[in-house]
Amino acid sequence: MANLLLIGVVIAMLCSEIKCSFEDNFSKSDCPDSHFKTSEDGQIWYLSLDNKAGCGFMTRQRYRFGWFSMKLKLVGGDSAGVVTAYYMCTEDGAGPTRDELDFEFLGNRTGEPYLIQTNVYKNGTGGREMRHVLWFDPTQDFHTYSILWNSHQIVFFVDKVPIRVYRNANYTNNFFPNEKPMYLFSSIWNADDWATRGGLEKTDWKNAPFVSTYMDFNVDACQWEDPFPSCVSTTTQNWWDQYNSWHLSSDQKLDYAWVQRNLVTYDYCQDIERYKVKPEECWVSPWD
């Protein structure tokens, strides 16, 4: 076991210095081999969905706090009903006590914009959705989607622009995921019962296969090692756990304000029909 851990650490160090293949970081879900492909050099990965199956992958390692980033190019054309998910979760499956941080890209009819949905789960409870439109076409080229996670805040980034900030204010409802390590996942799947116009637009299987594309996975994080990982308690040895990462910078605040004014299409904190009493975290300023 000690030798296996050492090998894992060495691979992680090497992958920060050079390009690594899919197998170095991830394992494929139980999907047909035809639904997962890589480029010849192993640096670009393709997940596909048809009316028989989708596909996905997950990291071999778990992490607690850090910076997690990947470049994605989303399904082009008529993608209504199709969801590409890129997320962190404490387990492989929708367990009743899971913690989770979600990016979900909701497909649409040709010519209509993608919606990007983010969500936060704690102990199996979510309901913290926000939705944004993007300022570019995510099907035409690769763009970078990242999560900064420390004990002070969770920030969702698109091309290094913060689109959502979820602060930790020691809530009495304890709704901040900071105790359990998480894997990173991605998948493509059919969700035409809800994803596009609330399920009104169905997946057109004549357009299958639907393909999402990935490259440049980057992680700078605390790798979990049972039974006593180094990230049981946080330190300030890493940039993502230092003071400057506990809040947005001045430039990031300007970008975030622009996003809030122009790109938000849904915010659970403003949904008074759904939440008669605002969840506690809705009262916390992301600007602090």
Side-chain angles (χ1 to χ4, degrees):
M1 178 61 72
N3 288 337
L4 289 176
L5 290 175
L6 178 60
I7 291 171
V9 171
V10 170
I11 288 176
M13 292 174 63
L14 289 174
C15 288
S16 66
E17 301 290 335
I18 61 175
K19 295 288 186 180
C20 285
S21 69
F22 176 88
E23 290 79 10
D24 293 320
N25 290 306
F26 299 99
S27 58
K28 182 177 75 70
S29 65
D30 185 18
C31 61
D33 290 341
S34 59
H35 288 51
F36 174 80
K37 297 180 180 179
T38 68
S39 59
E40 289 188 5
D41 62 2
Q43 301 304 313
I44 302 176
W45 321 318
Y46 307 90
L47 296 182
S48 65
L49 166 72
D50 59 24
N51 61 353
K52 296 180 181 178
C55 200
F57 57 79
M58 62 183 290
T59 53
R60 298 182 182 278
Q61 305 293 338
R62 292 179 296 165
Y63 304 91
R64 181 170 179 257
F65 303 138
W67 171 264
F68 309 86
S69 183
M70 189 178 290
K71 292 182 178 178
L72 281 74
K73 183 164 68 172
L74 302 180
V75 177
D78 186 344
S79 59
V82 177
V83 170
T84 298
Y86 167 60
Y87 62 104
M88 300 184 68
C89 190
T90 53
E91 56 191 82
D92 184 8
T97 62
R98 74 189 186 280
D99 291 354
E100 188 170 322
L101 308 175
D102 290 345
F103 273 114
E104 291 180 312
F105 305 93
L106 312 183
N108 217 330
R109 291 295 178 213
T110 302
E112 296 296 321
Y114 259 84
L115 288 178
I116 180 171
Q117 176 169 286
T118 57
N119 203 354
V120 176
Y121 282 75
K122 177 68 182 284
N123 289 329
T125 299
R128 269 62 181 177
E129 297 94 343
M130 288 190 70
R131 290 187 177 184
H132 299 72
V133 292
L134 295 167
W135 58 97
F136 54 82
D137 183 346
T139 72
Q140 294 300 304
D141 204 351
F142 287 96
H143 291 269
T144 304
Y145 304 90
S146 310
I147 297 173
L148 171 67
W149 176 33
N150 57 44
S151 60
H152 299 269
Q153 65 176 359
I154 298 162
V155 186
F156 296 83
F157 290 88
V158 177
D159 288 340
K160 296 189 177 180
V161 174
I163 66 164
R164 180 175 184 179
V165 179
Y166 191 91
R167 300 277 297 163
N168 183 7
N170 296 315
Y171 308 119
T172 58
N173 66 6
N174 196 32
F175 209 97
F176 188 90
N178 60 354
E179 299 162 353
K180 306 171 188 175
M182 300 193 200
Y183 299 96
L184 187 141
F185 297 80
S186 192
S187 60
I188 185 170
W189 50 292
N190 179 44
D192 66 4
D193 58 331
W194 67 269
T196 306
R197 293 184 60 215
L200 295 177
E201 303 284 354
K202 300 300 183 182
T203 304
D204 187 349
W205 294 111
K206 296 193 301 292
N207 297 316
F210 303 98
V211 180
S212 55
T213 312
Y214 305 79
M215 64 184 296
D216 289 355
F217 172 63
N218 178 267
V219 58
D220 187 349
C222 185
Q223 183 174 306
W224 190 267
E225 298 173 7
D226 291 323
F228 301 111
S230 58
C231 39
V232 164
S233 59
T234 59
T235 69
T236 56
Q237 296 177 353
N238 302 286
W239 69 267
W240 40 262
D241 198 27
Q242 294 173 355
Y243 179 76
N244 287 341
S245 296
W246 296 355
H247 50 77
L248 299 182
S249 68
S250 297
D251 288 342
Q252 288 174 337
K253 288 179 180 178
L254 292 175
D255 288 340
Y256 183 71
W258 177 81
V259 169
Q260 293 297 103
R261 290 194 306 270
N262 296 286
L263 303 181
V264 176
T265 65
Y266 176 81
D267 182 349
Y268 77 99
C269 286
Q270 306 304 321
D271 192 339
I272 59 176
E273 292 187 6
R274 186 181 184 190
Y275 292 102
K276 303 301 182 184
V277 177
K278 278 189 180 184
E280 184 179 354
E281 68 275 4
C282 292
W283 298 101
V284 176
S285 171
W287 309 102
D288 295 338

